[in-house]
């Protein structure tokens, strides 16, 4: 991220919640030189640092998203590092990991170096980069994984596409022993997905639209978990969507496979019933929205830890790629600016999950990539999402920080809003109306 001064401020009287660190109480959060200096008794004397009135607000560990598409290089009309990380900061994120399926794909050490340099100039929050597993994402030859890791890639993924050839993934897992780096997998069997554009089930049948069966995902996960187990490799399964997939990951974890996985806010909040609208801007993505039983299985996976983290799969697309018939529209939705608010509204407020669990899973995406989990423990780098859990807002009414508007939440009324984000020890975001109210 851009280098700047470490923040010096105090969040006065915030409700501080970090379940992993065992913190739950009202404190003055004192930030000095970009670190959490102290969780102090409210109201103490503090010399010369900015005071932020945080009474009634929640200070949470900032979130970490291990799966975003920043579209750089090659598709800057959809997003770039500046707009994508601004969207992340506005959503309360202190770090994101960018996927490599750009144009051209991120496949060489020089590609990774160029992106890291660009992020130092333009990013509001720290960005980690993955490179592709296979050259040109063609699924055949491996990239120079060792040299790519040496250039600073956090790991590897052909996301957007599965690695169809098991022998290729097996080789990548063998190389992983030499170079490290998690391999993140978009799990899908193209032979089963066919030309499906939504979940295969009652709704696709009613609409007469080709469907993608759940087993396209779950059978591939089972195969790849078996390969990872056999090679003692480490994989991270992306965007789980189906009950069978949760079961496959749960079984692999129980068998001792080094496997982690993520689920997206849209799969946790929506079902294929939404697709009846045939609105591709909000409801067409890969993997597709599935049934209520699948959604419930994902929630159970979040609860029992089968699902390690929430990841948005933030996938910006230009309007002209979405304003076409459902079958032809681009797949993917944006999510960085709304992830916390949507999950708070749809899962926490109705009592489906506890706020603490959501906080834990929103920051859970760092560990699978060997990064430190954001925490509010004194002494840590300041990575804080300051939220008003009672704030109601309508998504999109003030536009987006993202360059694209294909938010699955567009037009939804959400409860809970990020007012301010500290990322990497710096103030990365302030909601405009909130910054006006801050005492200098
Ligand atoms: Zn994917
Ligand atoms: Zn993706």
């Amino acid at each position: 991220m851009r280098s700047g001064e470490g923040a010096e401020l105090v969040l006065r009287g915030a409700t501080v919640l970090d379940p992993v660190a065992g913190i739950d109480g009202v404190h003055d959060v004192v930030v000095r030189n970009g670190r959490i200096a102290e969780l102090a008794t409210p109201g103490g004397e503090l010399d010369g640092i900015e005071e932020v009135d945080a009474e009634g607000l929640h200070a949470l560990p900032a979130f970490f998203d291990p799966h975003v598409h920043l579209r750089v290089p090659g598709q800057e009309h959809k997003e770039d590092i500046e707009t994508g990380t601004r969207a992340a900061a506005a959503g309360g994120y202190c770090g994101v990991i960018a996927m490599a399926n750009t144009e051209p794909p991120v496949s060489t050490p020089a590609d990774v170096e160029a992106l890291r340099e660009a992020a130092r100039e333009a990013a509001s929050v720290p960005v980690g980069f993955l490179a592709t597993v296979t050259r040109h994402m063609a699924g055949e030859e491996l990239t120079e994984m060792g040299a790519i890791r040496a250039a600073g890639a956090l790991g590897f993924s052909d996301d957007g596409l599965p690695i169809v050839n098991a022998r290729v993934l097996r080789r990548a897992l063998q190389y992983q022993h030499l170079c490290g780096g998690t391999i993140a997998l978009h799990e899908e069997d193209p032979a089963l997905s066919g030309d499906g554009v939504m979940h295969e089930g009652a709704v696709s049948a009613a609409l007469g639209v080709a469907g993608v069966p759940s087993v396209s995902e779950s059978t591939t996960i089972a195969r790849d978990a078996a390969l990872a187990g056999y090679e003692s490799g480490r994989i991270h399964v992306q965007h789980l969507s189906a009950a069978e997939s949760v079961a496959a990951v749960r079984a692999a974890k129980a068998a001792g496979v080094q496997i982690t996985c993520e689920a997206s806010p849209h799969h946790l909040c929506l079902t294929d019933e939404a697709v009846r609208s045939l609105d591709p801007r909000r409801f067409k993505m890969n993997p597709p929205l599935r049934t209520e039983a699948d959604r419930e299985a994902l929630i159970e996976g979040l609860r029992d830890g089968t699902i390690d983290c929430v990841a948005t799969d933030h996938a910006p697309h230009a309007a002209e790629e979405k304003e076409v018939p459902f079958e032809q529209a681009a797949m993917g939705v944006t999510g960085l600016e709304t992830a916390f608010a949507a999950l708070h509204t749809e899962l926490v407020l109705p009592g489906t999950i506890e706020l603490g669990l959501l906080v834990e899973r929103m920051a859970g995406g760092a560990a699978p990539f060997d990064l430190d989990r954001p925490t509010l423990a004194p002494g840590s780098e300041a990575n804080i999402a300051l939220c008003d859990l009672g704030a109601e807002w309508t998504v999109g009414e003030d536009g987006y920080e993202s360059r694209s508007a294909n938010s699955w939440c567009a037009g939804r009324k959400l409860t809970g809003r990020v007012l301010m984000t500290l990322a990497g020890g710096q103030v990365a975001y302030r909601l405009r109306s909130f910054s006006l109210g801050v005492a200098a």
Side-chain angles (χ1 to χ4, degrees):
M1 70 188 285
R2 279 191 287 260
S3 59
E5 303 253 313
E8 298 266 346
L9 53 81
V10 54
L11 307 176
R12 286 286 197 187
T15 301
V16 186
L17 178 62
D18 178 355
V20 177
I23 300 166
D24 182 3
V26 175
H27 301 283
D28 283 354
V29 182
V30 183
V31 176
R32 290 190 186 275
N33 196 23
R35 306 196 84 82
I36 298 174
E38 192 183 355
L39 299 178
T41 308
E45 284 288 309
L46 290 163
D47 54 312
I49 60 174
E50 183 192 355
E51 303 205 4
V52 177
D53 179 5
E55 225 169 288
L57 306 180
H58 277 70
L60 308 174
F63 316 132
F64 187 91
D65 194 338
H67 188 159
V68 305
H69 296 269
L70 297 182
R71 303 302 192 203
V72 180
Q75 296 183 307
E76 288 83 354
H77 63 290
K78 300 183 181 190
E79 197 77 287
D80 62 25
I81 290 173
E82 188 177 349
T83 59
T85 59
R86 258 199 340 249
Y93 287 91
C94 64
V96 298
I97 297 179
M99 295 300 114
N101 62 335
T102 50
E103 286 185 8
V106 181
S107 293
T108 68
D111 293 341
V112 173
E113 279 163 12
L115 283 169
R116 294 183 76 206
E117 181 61 35
R120 276 191 281 274
E121 295 291 315
S124 299
V125 306
V127 186
F129 293 95
L130 303 186
T132 59
V133 178
T134 67
R135 284 176 203 263
H136 314 296
M137 290 177 64
E140 290 162 14
E141 285 173 78
L142 298 180
T143 54
E144 295 171 59
M145 290 172 62
I148 284 169
R149 279 281 290 166
L154 287 179
F156 303 91
S157 180
D158 278 7
D159 180 45
L161 296 174
I163 297 172
V164 176
N165 186 327
R167 182 171 164 275
V168 170
L169 179 58
R170 184 183 178 195
R171 294 278 309 213
L173 290 163
Q174 291 167 343
Y175 272 100
Q176 189 188 49
H177 282 288
L178 305 175
C179 65
T182 298
I183 297 175
L185 297 167
H186 169 122
E187 301 287 37
E188 176 178 14
D189 181 341
L192 287 172
S193 294
D195 46 15
V197 294
M198 68 175 293
H199 172 66
E200 179 183 285
V203 179
S204 67
L207 292 171
V209 169
V212 176
S214 299
V215 288
S216 175
E217 179 175 279
S218 60
T219 57
T220 313
I221 292 172
R223 182 200 75 172
D224 292 351
L227 286 168
Y230 188 75
E231 294 295 345
S232 301
R234 188 164 56 137
I235 58 172
H236 175 75
V237 177
Q238 300 178 303
H239 45 51
L240 250 66
S241 68
E244 296 89 337
S245 302
V246 179
V249 172
R250 189 178 284 128
K253 284 189 169 183
V257 177
Q258 298 176 75
I259 184 171
T260 52
C261 72
E262 63 188 37
S264 76
H266 47 274
H267 289 112
L268 288 161
C269 294
L270 300 175
T271 69
D272 60 351
E273 288 295 327
V275 183
R276 288 187 193 274
S277 67
L278 291 175
D279 174 357
R281 184 173 68 125
R282 288 185 292 166
F283 305 128
K284 185 176 179 188
M285 66 285 285
N286 188 18
L289 301 172
R290 299 198 189 270
T291 67
E292 180 61 17
D294 293 304
R295 191 181 79 91
E296 284 167 10
L298 293 176
I299 292 168
E300 190 48 41
L302 266 195
R303 280 201 200 100
D304 72 10
T306 301
I307 296 174
D308 300 85
C309 56
V310 171
T312 63
D313 194 8
H314 178 83
H317 285 294
E320 58 269 22
E321 293 161 295
K322 284 289 197 179
E323 286 166 5
V324 293
F326 195 85
E327 281 92 336
Q328 292 146 40
M331 291 186 287
V333 290
T334 60
L336 282 167
E337 294 169 66
T338 55
F340 175 75
L343 292 167
H344 178 254
T345 304
E346 301 295 334
L347 299 188
V348 176
L349 289 180
T352 307
I353 65 170
E354 303 261 334
L355 175 63
L357 178 69
L358 177 59
V359 169
E360 199 174 327
R361 296 288 179 263
M362 290 292 292
F369 293 88
D370 296 328
L371 299 170
D372 291 336
R373 161 186 280 276
T375 171
L376 301 179
S380 313
E381 184 178 67
N383 291 300
I384 306 171
L386 186 64
C387 304
D388 180 350
L389 297 187
E392 295 190 344
W393 57 297
T394 302
V395 176
E397 66 180 355
D398 300 322
Y400 299 96
E401 301 290 340
S402 170
R403 185 162 287 146
S404 293
N406 56 309
S407 167
W408 69 269
C409 284
R412 282 174 99 93
K413 198 167 181 190
L414 300 181
T415 305
R417 190 155 203 190
V418 176
L419 302 183
M420 182 176 185
T421 306
L422 278 83
Q426 298 175 35
V427 176
Y429 172 77
R430 275 180 188 192
L431 184 69
R432 200 170 297 133
S433 56
F434 179 64
S435 38
L436 293 174
V438 171

